[in-house]
Every structure is written in C-alpha cells, then in structure tokens.
Amino acid sequence: MYIKEIELNNFRIYKGVNRIALLPSEDKNIIVISGKNGFGKTTFLMALVWCLYGKQMEKVDELYEKEIKDKGNYTKYISNSLNRKAYRDGETEFSVSITFSDVKIPDITCKEVTIRRSYNIVSSTADKVEVLIDGRYNELIDDLTKDNQRGEEIFIRDFILPIEIAKFFFFDAEKIVSLAEVTSNTQRQQLSKAYSEVLGIQKYEDLKANLEEKQDEYRRRSAKPEEKEELSQLSADISKTETRKASLLNQIEDLRHDKNQKEREADDIQRRLIREGDKMSVTELNDLKSTRDRLEETKIAIQEKLRELLDIIPFALAGETLASVSEQLHNERIISEQKFRQEDVAEKIDLIRADIERERQKSNIIIDNVRIRDFYEDQVKKSVKKYFYSDLVDIPDNIKTLHDFSSSEVNEFNQLVNTIKHSFKETFSQINVEYSYVKNQIDSISRKIRDAEKSAEDDHIAKLRADKDSLDHQIISLGNDIEALSMQIGELNNQSKTFKQKQELLRKRIDESSVYSDKEQRTKQVITELQTFINLFKEEKKKSLGEKMLNALNLLLHKQNFITKIDVDISLSGDDIDIILYDKNGLIIDKSSLSMGERQMYASALLSSLVDESDIEFPVFIDSPMQKFDEQHAENIIKHFYPNVSNQVIIFPLINKELTEKEYCLLKPKVCKSYLINNTTTDSSEFIETTPATFLETYKSLYNAN
C-alpha cells in the first residue's frame, strides 16, 4: 500500500487547496519534506492522523491527547483548525484527503482508495468522513456498519491501518527511545498490547475470546440453574471490574493533567525565585531538575519492583503451606501419570482378552468352567503387568486430587517457590538499598534547589514563595491521589484475576457434568485447535522477531558483538511481551544501562523489526530524524534503517539541526521526491517541489540559509 496524494484544504496554516504527491519510485523510497519551525511541518503530520482517526487521534500520540485536554475537549480542539484567513473570508469548512494505491480488499478490485475527513465549524456536530473506492461510494461501507460504528471507521481499521499500531508508523525520532525506557508495569502493559497488535497475536486472542463467549452461552443453556446464575454473576463481576478500572484510569489521567499543569506553574515560580536570588543559573537549575526527573523515574521503577515483591510476601510467610502444596502437586502429577498408565494397562488387557476370545471361537473350544476362565484372564492380567508395566504402583487411597493444576500452572507455581526459596530475601534487600540511595539523591537535589531560592526579603518574594509552597502541597496531594487510585487499580486487577480463575473452574465443572450439544462440541474443538495454533504462532513470532532484531542491531550499532542474543518472551495470555538482550557472555543486559545512542539503536531495530513482522504495508512517517545520533550511528541509520523500514518513508527534518548536508548527501541516492514548506504569509503555507539534487540549494535560497 502506498500514499499517492494528500490534499489539505483550509486546514490550519494551509490556506485553500494544497496537494502533495508522494508515490515513490522502484529503487528510491524516501520522500523528504522540510521547512522552518512554525511553517507547517507538525501540522502536516497532525492532518494525516486526523484524517484517518478523527476523535480517536489521541490514541496515536500523547501530544494530541495533551493538546485536546488543554483545549477542554475534542470539539473545541478540532474546530480551531480552520485557517485564519479562510475564516476572515467567510469560509466555514476545512478538510484533509488521503489517496491510497494498491489497497488489498477481499473480493473487490480497485486502483485507489480516497479517505476524506471534513469539518464545518458552523453546521458540524461531528467529523464527516467519506471513503471512495475508485472515486465512488461502495456498498461495502454499509455492510461494515454495525453496533453504532460507522462503516468508514471500520474500513480504515480493517483495510488501511488499525489505530492500535499507528504509533509505529507515525513517530517522532526523539521519542522513539521510549520503546527502550519502560519504567512501570502500566507502560509495559501498554507496549505489550501494542506489540501483540502489530505482531498479529491480538486478533487471534480476540477470536478465541469471542468463541469462549459463545461457548459460555452454550454452557448457560446446559448448566444447572445455580451454575447458570453463578456463571452470569462472574461475567457481570468481571465486566463491572473492568468498567471500574477504566473509570479509575480516566481519573488518573485527569489528575496527571492537573499535576503537570501545577508542576509547570511551580517551575516558573522557582525560576523567578532563583533568578532574583542570584545563587544559581537557570541552566544549572535545569540540569539539576533533569537529574532529579531521571532519579524520579528510577524511583518509580524501583517502587514497581517492590510492589511485585509485595505480592509474593504472603507466600513467603506461608513457607510450610507452600511446601505442602508443592508436595501435593508432585503427588497429583504421579497420580495423573499412574492413572493414565493404569488406563493403558486396562485397555491392553481388554484387547488381549478380545483377541483370545476370537481365537477360541474360531477353534470351537468350549470352556464351561467359570473359575478356569477367570483363572486364565487373571493370569493374562498379571503377565501384562509383570512383563510390560512392572514399575506400575497402586495409587494410595489417602492421596486425592485437590488442585487439578495444568502443567503450565504447576511450572508457574514451582517457579514462584524457587524464587521465594533462593532469591526473595536478597532481592528485597537489594531493592530497598537502591530505593534509599535514590531517595536520598532526590532529597539532596531538592535541598540544593531550595537553598538557591531567595529568602523572603520583601512582600513580592514572600508572595512567590507562598504561591510555590501552595503549589508544592497541591502537587504532593495530587501525587498521593494518583498513587491511591493506582493501588485501587492493582486491587481490581487481583479481583479480576480471581473472578476469571473462578470462572474457569466453573467452566470445567459444567463441562464435566454437562452433555454437550453438537454446537458446543464443535466450538470446544475449534477453541482447542485455535489455542494450539496460537501457541505455534507465538513461538514463530518470538523466533522471527528476535532474529530480525539481532540482525538489525548488528547493522546499526557500531559496537560489534555487544548484543549476541535476543529472546522475545510472550506470556501464555499474550498480554505481556518482553524483549531480553544478552551479551557475549550470555548475561542479561539491563536496557536502562544502555547509553542514549544505544537505546535509540535498540528502539530503531525494534521498530523496523515490528513493522517488517507485521506484514502491514503502510508508509512510515518520521519526524525529527537524526537529531540525537552520533556520526557513526547516523550513518548506519541512513544506510540501513530509513531505506528498509518501509517501501515508502517520509521524513520531516530541520536542515542542519536534524539532518546535516553531509547526512543528506548519504541519504540522497534513496530520495525520490523532496518538498519545502514555504510560509507565504503569516496565515498561509504552501508546498514547493524540488528535485533531490537541488534540494539543499533551493533550501538555502528560499530561507536565506548558509
């Protein structure tokens, strides 16, 4: 899939109709679009995201989420997008159109698809989005419409680009390093969900979940009244818990927004206090604050580790009970194996007995004596056990199955026991030491900042200090509120897990006691087969993604053999994905120990591998490229990353700051088109096409740059 053309009409800085052609050539896949700050580069990217996702654009980038919240809501945010000059001229509508080529739609042959989103500041209550296939409306859009979801939005999700993975195709190179800086469980969960979507795992997990819902419906029909009521109640409890979690997450986001706002206000006052106190420069202050921010992130990460260990503490305190459970699970495994083998013995004895009976009937031998027949049958049974199953033992009557754990559950439990037995105390102590050290560092920096502030020598300074103290108290209070809500979410997660475990046990009980209908049996069989496929699919993706990342890193990093192995760990549920790096000695590399350049190379390798592994053909848009790379890493990125991350790559550099002349010369052999954004008036910008060969000269001439 390629983007053929983009049209912006009265959208923000772009007055009137502005078109830009983006189709690459066969051997050149990079398009360069540049201009000065404020000329419309960021607006252009925002226009593309808005055209595809409208109100949901906040899910693509936290920048859009912040801007929407700052404006109050989405309607206020987007209605402000009409070009100012167009507004003065009496126009009321703006729009963005994207035309795609080579879009694959099952059972429909098409040359191009155009998506157009528009908004009228006078008459619109919501966006108007249109999807045209070869220039015409297609009944497919009506067929896709369901559950109050517009067919156009579903079409974009199913045939263009799902919003869950859009962040991997529209990204800021400065922010790409965040892929390597996961400091909390929330961040890890969010990234894991995105990885699962882009790797294609989530769609199969969703399909399995839908089938399980259908199976539950069949179960409810065949279940006993009390089982039916319990199953419905558990489903309601799970749904209620998830709804409550979503509400708490929204509250946390609102609190974080307020906290960030007050932190900005407090920072401003602090700078004024320090300037007037003349004890510390603003640069020194910013350096100290940057250090403090990094330490705060480290502290949060340590707190997350502590929370994880806190979940284990009850088990650690119940050492004897755990040992007893472990022994019980061992015995249950033996029982299971013995039962299986006993069933096998019984089956083979029955087969032998049947064979003997057939041969007796053929020979016309008549055995009238029951005792003789029983004797020979008993001898056959003893002989089979003696010569083929001599190690088979009788199951003691006092051993019963209490837990009925699966093999994977037994392994998880034994892993927990081993963790508690061997490393819990040492790990807990080490984390406590790390936490104390980081907290002391933060306190020390805070004192330095405080000492630099001017004492209350006059009413003005006293007022500033009072305002800042008030803001500091509010920030602490908001932080406490966020922490409290986060703890509630943790409790809800535990509740949800408990409900789901009970639900699964109940399902098993119903399965054992119910006579399944044909539909139920087929559904169960499909789920089993699908689970087998998902497991194989995950293994394939783990191996493939790990290999691609390692190959990419070897090309990008200037340290050879620094990373020699990459493991991709995907949980059974698919909702937790971790990427583990190993050095040449086979030791795990902590990603937080990587330098900034190494983190960027890691993140670039991960992104390119994910895009490749997704099998999604979509252009990649890269803002702020090259800014943080050293010379060698920059050269590797130009040679190996940009040309290979997608068949169509659009970059938006600031010349000399984010892309030097030397770097552009390295990139030029792969550049098929180049554009400059020129600001014609304070309210209007336009695209100027240049050839890749004359791009830099045109840039210098247009902007009077050296």
Side-chain angles (χ1 to χ4, degrees):
M1 183 189 313
Y2 299 94
I3 290 181
K4 179 181 178 181
E5 183 183 82
I6 295 170
E7 177 187 289
L8 297 91
N9 183 15
N10 287 334
F11 189 87
R12 298 204 168 193
I13 195 68
Y14 296 96
K15 171 70 170 72
V17 176
N18 291 265
R19 293 188 183 91
I20 184 170
L22 296 175
L23 275 180
S25 59
E26 283 189 14
D27 59 339
K28 298 180 179 182
N29 64 324
I30 295 174
I31 297 99
V32 179
I33 303 174
S34 184
K36 286 191 169 184
N37 277 328
F39 279 21
K41 178 168 65 77
T42 303
T43 295
F44 181 68
L45 274 170
M46 177 252 185
L48 304 184
V49 176
W50 176 71
C51 180
L52 291 175
Y53 304 113
K55 190 174 184 177
Q56 290 189 307
M57 64 187 296
E58 64 179 4
K59 295 180 181 178
V60 177
D61 193 307
E62 61 185 16
L63 171 66
Y64 304 133
E65 182 182 19
K66 180 183 177 302
E67 288 179 346
I68 291 170
K69 284 187 175 180
D70 286 345
K71 287 292 182 182
N73 55 50
Y74 172 77
T75 301
K76 291 179 181 178
Y77 171 73
I78 205 61
S79 61
N80 197 42
S81 296
L82 179 66
N83 178 267
R84 289 194 294 264
K85 190 173 187 307
Y87 178 77
R88 290 195 298 270
D89 293 343
E91 298 184 63
T92 60
E93 185 171 289
F94 57 88
S95 65
V96 178
S97 301
I98 306 175
T99 299
F100 297 89
S101 63
D102 295 344
V103 181
K104 294 178 177 64
I105 307 173
D107 303 322
I108 295 179
T109 302
C110 70
K111 291 181 179 179
E112 59 183 45
V113 172
T114 298
I115 297 170
R116 182 178 185 272
R117 191 178 295 267
S118 60
Y119 191 92
N120 192 302
I121 64 170
V122 175
S123 61
S124 292
T125 56
D127 307 336
K128 179 184 178 183
V129 60
E130 301 169 272
V131 175
L132 302 177
I133 300 175
D134 288 336
R136 297 185 299 276
Y137 184 83
N138 193 289
E139 62 184 11
L140 168 67
I141 306 302
D142 291 331
D143 294 339
L144 291 172
T145 303
K146 62 179 180 179
D147 299 332
N148 297 320
Q149 289 184 294
R150 296 175 60 176
E152 292 86 354
E153 307 288 1
I154 295 173
F155 179 91
I156 293 168
R157 182 194 70 198
D158 290 353
F159 301 115
I160 303 299
L161 186 68
I163 193 169
E164 293 83 3
I165 63 175
K167 66 175 65 180
F168 296 116
F169 295 85
F170 297 91
F171 68 91
D172 187 330
E174 284 189 21
K175 298 177 184 176
I176 191 176
V177 73
S178 64
L179 294 176
E181 295 177 339
V182 180
T183 58
S184 69
N185 282 338
T186 302
Q187 287 177 302
R188 179 163 165 168
Q189 287 168 4
Q190 290 172 344
L191 273 180
S192 293
K193 188 173 185 319
Y195 295 159
S196 185
E197 289 281 357
V198 78
L199 290 172
I201 296 170
Q202 193 60 46
K203 63 183 178 185
Y204 295 116
E205 292 286 0
D206 290 343
L207 176 59
K208 181 168 152 289
N210 291 335
L211 286 169
E212 286 172 341
E213 284 182 12
K214 198 69 180 175
Q215 192 179 28
D216 274 346
E217 183 183 328
Y218 296 143
R219 286 189 175 108
R220 281 192 289 271
R221 293 176 185 175
S222 58
K224 298 173 184 175
E226 62 272 18
E227 291 174 334
K228 189 182 296 185
E229 185 179 347
E230 188 178 353
L231 196 60
S232 296
Q233 184 59 52
L234 284 168
S235 297
D237 289 339
I238 292 168
S239 178
K240 185 179 177 181
T241 302
E242 295 302 317
T243 302
R244 177 61 179 157
K245 275 170 57 181
S247 174
L248 291 176
L249 285 169
N250 287 332
Q251 291 180 49
I252 286 174
E253 288 303 310
D254 291 339
L255 290 171
R256 280 177 178 160
H257 177 71
D258 292 344
K259 184 170 175 279
N260 291 338
Q261 181 63 38
K262 294 188 186 305
E263 283 173 344
R264 286 194 292 271
E265 294 174 14
D267 288 346
D268 182 60
I269 294 174
Q270 191 173 63
R271 289 189 185 91
R272 290 162 65 187
L273 284 167
I274 288 175
R275 277 198 302 269
E276 297 193 33
D278 199 28
K279 290 186 178 180
M280 182 184 295
S281 69
V282 174
T283 303
E284 290 172 327
L285 170 65
N286 290 336
D287 288 343
L288 278 176
K289 289 189 66 180
S290 295
T291 302
R292 187 178 65 182
D293 290 344
R294 286 195 299 272
L295 288 168
E296 286 286 358
E297 290 176 359
T298 304
K299 189 176 83 169
I300 291 169
I302 294 171
Q303 287 173 326
E304 288 289 341
K305 291 179 182 177
L306 279 171
R307 285 196 192 95
E308 291 173 5
L309 284 178
L310 287 173
D311 292 338
I312 301 177
I313 284 178
F315 297 101
L317 295 173
E320 292 184 4
T321 304
L322 280 181
S324 173
V325 173
S326 183
E327 184 181 357
Q328 174 68 25
L329 290 174
H330 175 72
N331 290 335
E332 287 183 12
R333 182 177 62 80
I334 293 173
I335 290 172
S336 179
E337 291 174 354
Q338 293 296 321
K339 279 184 178 178
F340 177 79
R341 298 191 70 199
Q342 285 181 349
E343 289 169 0
D344 190 43
V345 171
E347 184 181 345
K348 283 183 170 57
I349 290 171
D350 288 341
L351 291 171
I352 293 170
R353 190 182 292 157
D355 287 345
I356 293 173
E357 181 64 21
R358 279 194 299 272
E359 293 300 319
R360 186 193 65 76
Q361 290 176 358
K362 287 180 184 178
S363 64
N364 294 320
I365 295 174
I366 298 172
I367 302 175
D368 291 331
N369 194 314
V370 175
R371 290 180 63 187
I372 294 174
R373 186 170 61 247
D374 289 345
F375 170 78
Y376 282 108
E377 287 184 355
D378 189 53
Q379 290 304 308
V380 167
K381 183 177 179 180
K382 288 179 179 178
S383 297
V384 170
K385 285 187 175 181
K386 178 180 178 181
Y387 293 109
F388 297 101
Y389 297 93
S390 58
D391 61 334
L392 191 64
V393 296
D394 293 330
I395 300 171
D397 294 333
N398 62 336
I399 298 180
K400 298 179 180 179
T401 300
L402 300 177
H403 304 293
D404 194 23
F405 279 16
S406 65
S407 298
S408 61
E409 289 171 331
V410 172
N411 290 335
E412 287 179 10
F413 181 82
N414 288 333
Q415 190 176 0
L416 171 64
V417 173
N418 289 330
T419 299
I420 293 170
K421 189 183 294 183
H422 300 295
S423 63
F424 175 79
K425 186 176 180 181
E426 183 182 343
T427 304
F428 190 80
S429 177
Q430 184 181 345
I431 292 174
N432 261 320
V433 170
E434 290 175 5
Y435 181 81
S436 298
Y437 174 77
V438 170
K439 190 175 181 301
N440 288 336
Q441 290 288 98
I442 293 170
D443 291 342
S444 175
I445 291 172
S446 297
R447 281 195 299 272
K448 287 180 182 178
I449 294 172
R450 183 75 180 182
D451 291 342
E453 296 175 356
K454 184 177 176 65
S455 302
E457 297 176 354
D458 54 41
D459 292 343
H460 170 67
I461 298 296
K463 176 70 165 56
L464 286 176
R465 185 175 293 283
D467 290 345
K468 186 175 179 302
D469 287 343
S470 175
L471 286 166
D472 287 342
H473 285 305
Q474 292 177 58
I475 290 165
I476 292 170
S477 177
L478 288 166
N480 291 336
D481 291 343
I482 292 169
E483 181 69 18
L485 291 175
S486 298
M487 290 180 68
Q488 288 185 47
I489 289 174
E491 292 171 2
L492 288 171
N493 282 331
N494 290 333
Q495 286 180 21
S496 182
K497 188 176 180 181
T498 301
F499 290 145
K500 287 176 180 178
Q501 288 172 341
K502 289 181 179 179
Q503 188 183 52
E504 188 58 33
L505 288 171
L506 182 59
R507 286 169 174 170
K508 285 182 180 179
R509 196 162 73 237
I510 294 172
D511 291 351
E512 290 169 358
S513 63
S514 301
V515 179
Y516 268 36
S517 68
D518 289 342
K519 286 183 179 179
E520 290 171 325
Q521 289 177 349
R522 285 199 298 271
T523 305
K524 185 178 182 180
Q525 185 180 353
V526 170
I527 290 171
T528 303
E529 291 173 354
L530 181 59
Q531 184 61 64
T532 302
F533 168 78
I534 290 173
N535 293 338
L536 293 171
F537 185 74
K538 285 178 184 176
E539 289 301 316
E540 182 185 317
K541 288 296 180 182
K542 286 163 63 173
K543 183 181 177 183
S544 181
L545 182 62
E547 289 174 352
K548 285 177 179 174
M549 278 196 68
L550 187 59
N551 291 334
L553 275 171
N554 285 333
L555 287 171
L556 296 177
L557 284 171
H558 57 66
K559 287 185 186 176
Q560 294 300 308
N561 296 320
F562 172 49
I563 297 171
T564 59
K565 181 185 175 185
I566 295 177
D567 278 345
V568 180
D569 186 26
I570 304 176
S571 68
L572 291 175
S573 60
D575 59 0
D576 188 20
I577 300 176
D578 194 18
I579 296 162
I580 306 162
L581 311 179
Y582 295 88
D583 63 16
K584 60 184 178 182
N585 298 314
L587 300 175
I588 294 176
I589 300 172
D590 186 352
K591 289 190 280 287
S592 64
S593 68
L594 299 174
S595 69
M596 182 58 71
E598 289 164 349
R599 292 185 200 185
Q600 288 177 311
M601 294 303 103
Y602 163 81
S604 299
L606 173 58
L607 189 142
S608 64
S609 301
L610 283 170
V611 171
D612 187 37
E613 197 63 33
S614 72
D615 292 327
I616 295 173
E617 296 179 0
F618 194 87
V620 169
F621 295 83
I622 305 172
D623 196 12
S624 304
M626 313 303 296
Q627 188 176 4
K628 302 290 185 180
F629 298 127
D630 59 42
E631 187 173 345
Q632 189 170 351
H633 280 148
E635 185 173 339
N636 291 341
I637 286 286
I638 289 170
K639 288 182 177 179
H640 304 297
F641 178 66
Y642 291 149
N644 300 312
V645 69
S646 173
N647 292 329
Q648 187 180 19
V649 181
I650 301 94
I651 66 173
F652 299 83
L654 286 172
I655 301 302
N656 294 325
K657 184 180 180 183
E658 297 168 351
L659 187 71
T660 65
E661 292 190 30
K662 181 180 179 181
E663 290 164 349
Y664 178 76
C665 290
L666 289 172
L667 189 68
K668 190 164 62 176
K670 288 291 183 178
V671 177
C672 62
K673 295 181 186 297
S674 56
Y675 294 90
L676 292 167
I677 302 173
N678 186 39
N679 198 214
T680 55
T681 70
T682 55
D683 294 329
S684 183
S685 287
E686 63 181 9
F687 298 109
I688 298 175
E689 185 172 5
T690 74
T691 66
T694 62
F695 173 74
L696 288 178
E697 287 76 11
T698 309
Y699 176 90
K700 291 176 184 177
S701 173
L702 188 65
Y703 302 132
N704 295 317
N706 296 321

